[in-house]
Amino acid sequence: PAARTVVAGELLVKFRPGVNDDAKTNTHRAAGGTRLNEIARTGLQRVRVTAGNETAAVARYRNNPNVLYAERNYVRSIPAPASHTPGTELLPGDHYFKEQWALHNTGQLFYCFAWIDGDLCFYQGTNDADIDAPEAWAMSTGTPVKVAVIDSGIDYTHPDLAANYIGGYDFVSGDSDPMDDHGHGTHVSGTIAAAINNPTGDPAAEEGVAGVAPNARILAYKVCGADGSCSDFAIAQAIAQAIADGAKVINMSLGGP
């Protein structure tokens, strides 16, 4: 049942490497436990103890120097899928959102150009071949979680990104200005956290694209130069800095040699 969070009368116990069978048997005897079975590959044992005495039994095992760890046998559960109320989908008015078929695909035409008898379009989407972004946004557009983008930097003046940019560093030039001179890092940052429904035109109009997590905050670390090359040492520096700066997510859309 969902209300039960542990298996009554059971513990999980793992011994330290090198502990022999006699020592394990003596440990179980002293702690009041009985081995039920064991995963041979990992050495993790399922142990029976007196129901209602599990906490004390855990303490006895943990106090034994032969034991690496001991804990309750917790019961996990599969959460019920979250769903939105039909009709509450959030459809951004950003100018190019209709071309972001990966987020919301209605079978729309895109990559279109004005032509003699109307628009000439090169591609057409496939209905519902998308990640259901509007349905997800109906439940939440996310929180200001810090996302580190380790890439070619960012155009932090871009109207879709300026509000969500919170700093970074240029490990190519060795300064605190990670301005993008390649374009890839800006593109990635926009996919992650471009603002939605933000008027940026003159006259005001909803322009640009929509980010998957439009409330996320971007830390941009420039490790790639204008030619798109990125050294491993610069990447390692950026990872360390991202952790120090409190990033909860690190994105590195980089290829191999």
Side-chain angles (χ1 to χ4, degrees), residues 157-183:
T157 68
H158 193 289
D160 264 349
L161 297 172
N164 288 338
Y165 170 71
I166 58 171
Y169 195 82
D170 181 350
F171 289 99
V172 176
S173 300
D175 57 50
S176 58
D177 183 6
M179 176 56 74
D180 191 356
D181 54 6
H182 180 278

Side-chain angles (χ1 to χ4, degrees), residues 137-223:
W137 291 329
M139 294 182 284
S140 174
T141 52
T143 61
V145 63
K146 292 181 179 180
V147 179
V149 177
I150 298 176
D151 210 288
S152 63
I154 185 175
D155 179 359
Y156 46 74
T157 68
H158 193 289
D160 264 349
L161 297 172
N164 288 338
Y165 170 71
I166 58 171
Y169 195 82
D170 181 350
F171 289 99
V172 176
S173 300
D175 57 50
S176 58
D177 183 6
M179 176 56 74
D180 191 356
D181 54 6
H182 180 278
H184 187 262
T186 298
H187 180 107
V188 169
S189 297
T191 300
I192 296 169
I196 61 175
N197 291 329
N198 55 316
T200 61
D202 185 14
E206 290 170 328
E207 296 182 355
V209 296
V212 174
N215 290 324
R217 300 294 184 258
I218 297 295
L219 289 163
Y221 301 102
K222 182 174 182 176
V223 300

Side-chain angles (χ1 to χ4, degrees), residues 14 35 37-45:
K14 182 169 183 177
R35 193 191 78 163
N37 51 17
E38 179 177 346
I39 301 173
R41 184 177 182 85
T42 64
L44 181 66
Q45 296 185 357

